[in-house]
């Protein structure tokens, strides 16, 4: 079962050493890219310190943006580069959170749309963008809409967010979700039959992350009870 991994680097200001957890299973290798090959390639480059230093991802909830940002942090760490994941939907602090982060090799800011419209945050993001660019470091941002579609009040910030490359992260269709479910199960040593896979997909929530969360529960229960994942087992564990 996946566990949050705490990342902390000496370059991060004291107020941020608490860190935000990264999922162990958020990797580029297990992201079923589907129509998102170019976005994944750009992220691979940014984690290696090559290619475009500013990448903006956008997509509907459940498309996989958060997975990709967390995976980028894991990948950067393996490349001996400092990285930090900052999800703005989970944090209650103000824009002072950005102080000092420009000294890291890679900063991944998730759910940036949550603070758009807040004058203090918009100004802070604008100055942060300039600082991280001047430092020669990289920035990966995710939101639920493209930069030009966000209701940004500060024109300078709107122009900055349109720099670099922008990729839409496409959500998986049902065939893609089925393939991703079976691939993730295989990585965990679980062989799902077509019948069981279809049963799970047709009764689970529509977002891919929630489907994978159900697989986590099945994996843990299967290991604990030493049983194969069958339809009766799925019904028992998930209460269907």
């Amino acid at each position: 079962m996946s566990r949050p991994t705490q990342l902390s680097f000496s370059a991060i200001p004291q107020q941020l050493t608490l860190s935000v957890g990264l999922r162990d299973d958020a990797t580029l290798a297990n992201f079923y890219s589907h129509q998102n090959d170019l976005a994944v390639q750009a992220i691979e480059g940014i984690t290696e310190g090559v290619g475009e230093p500013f990448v903006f991802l956008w997509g509907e909830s459940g498309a996989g943006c958060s997975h990709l940002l967390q995976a980028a942090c894991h990948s950067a760490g393996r490349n001996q580069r400092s990285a930090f994941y900052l999800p703005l939907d989970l944090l209650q602090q103000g824009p002072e959170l950005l102080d000092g982060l420009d000294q890291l090799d890679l900063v991944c800011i998730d759910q940036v749309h949550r603070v758009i419209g807040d004058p203090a945050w918009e100004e802070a993001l604008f100055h942060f963008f300039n600082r991280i660019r001047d430092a020669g470091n990289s920035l990966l941002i995710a939101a639920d809409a493209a930069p030009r579609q966000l209701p940004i009040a500060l024109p300078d910030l709107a122009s900055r967010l349109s720099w670099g490359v922008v990729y839409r992260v496409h959500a998986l269709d049902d065939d893609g979700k089925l393939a991703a479910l079976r691939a993730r199960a295989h990585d965990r040593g679980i062989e799902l039959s077509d019948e069981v896979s279809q049963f799970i997909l047709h009764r689970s929530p529509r977002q891919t992350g929630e489907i994978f969360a159900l697989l986590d529960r099945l994996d843990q229960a299967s290991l604990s009870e030493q049983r194969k994942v069958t339809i009766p087992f799925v019904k028992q564990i998930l209460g269907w």
Side-chain angles (χ1 to χ4, degrees):
M1 186 175 181
S2 62
R3 305 180 304 279
T5 297
Q6 296 295 327
L7 294 187
S8 179
F9 300 97
S10 59
I12 297 177
Q14 184 63 36
Q15 73 267 24
L16 286 179
T17 55
L18 53 94
S19 189
V20 176
L22 298 179
R23 289 185 61 90
D24 287 344
D25 60 354
T27 69
L28 294 177
N30 69 13
F31 181 76
Y32 192 77
S33 61
H34 194 46
Q35 302 176 57
N36 301 308
D37 290 343
L38 291 178
V40 172
Q41 290 172 18
I43 294 170
E44 289 173 343
I46 207 172
T47 65
E48 296 169 1
V50 299
E52 175 58 53
F54 175 54
V55 177
F56 190 107
L57 305 179
W58 67 277
E60 64 188 68
S61 177
C65 290
S66 295
H67 179 111
L68 287 172
L69 265 62
Q70 293 186 49
C73 288
H74 283 306
S75 181
R78 287 191 293 271
N79 289 322
Q80 304 301 308
R81 305 186 76 231
S82 57
F84 195 79
Y85 173 67
L86 187 64
L88 298 183
D89 61 329
L90 299 179
L91 300 171
Q92 301 300 318
Q93 293 93 329
E96 66 274 3
L97 284 173
L98 298 172
D99 294 346
L101 290 184
D102 48 281
Q103 298 306 306
L104 300 177
D105 295 317
L106 173 63
V107 178
C108 299
I109 302 179
D110 201 1
Q111 301 279 328
V112 75
H113 57 275
R114 299 285 186 175
V115 299
I116 294 301
D118 182 315
W121 266 105
E122 288 198 6
E123 183 173 357
L125 284 169
F126 167 71
H127 291 300
F128 178 73
F129 186 102
N130 291 336
R131 293 198 306 272
I132 201 167
R133 180 196 58 189
D134 292 343
N137 294 323
S138 300
L139 181 62
L140 178 59
I141 288 182
D144 65 355
R148 296 185 183 278
Q149 296 174 326
L150 292 172
I152 302 170
L154 184 63
D156 287 339
L157 176 61
S159 68
R160 292 298 186 275
L161 293 183
S162 296
W163 288 9
V165 293
V166 178
Y167 293 104
R168 178 179 180 181
V169 178
H170 297 273
L172 296 175
D173 57 19
D174 283 349
D175 287 341
K177 289 176 183 177
L178 187 62
L181 174 64
R182 297 197 66 177
R184 182 69 65 92
H186 179 76
D187 289 343
R188 294 176 176 273
I190 304 172
E191 296 303 325
L192 294 181
S193 67
D194 288 338
E195 185 180 17
V196 173
S197 300
Q198 292 282 1
F199 182 81
I200 294 172
L201 183 64
H202 290 161
R203 288 161 179 79
S204 65
R206 304 310 299 164
Q207 292 191 357
T208 308
E210 295 181 73
I211 297 173
F212 290 158
L214 296 180
L215 183 63
D216 286 345
R217 290 175 56 188
L218 293 171
D219 183 26
Q220 185 179 38
S222 176
L223 290 172
S224 176
E225 300 185 23
Q226 294 295 300
R227 292 176 57 187
K228 293 182 178 181
V229 179
T230 62
I231 289 179
F233 182 74
V234 172
K235 289 180 177 179
Q236 173 192 333
I237 300 303
L238 301 182
W240 290 345

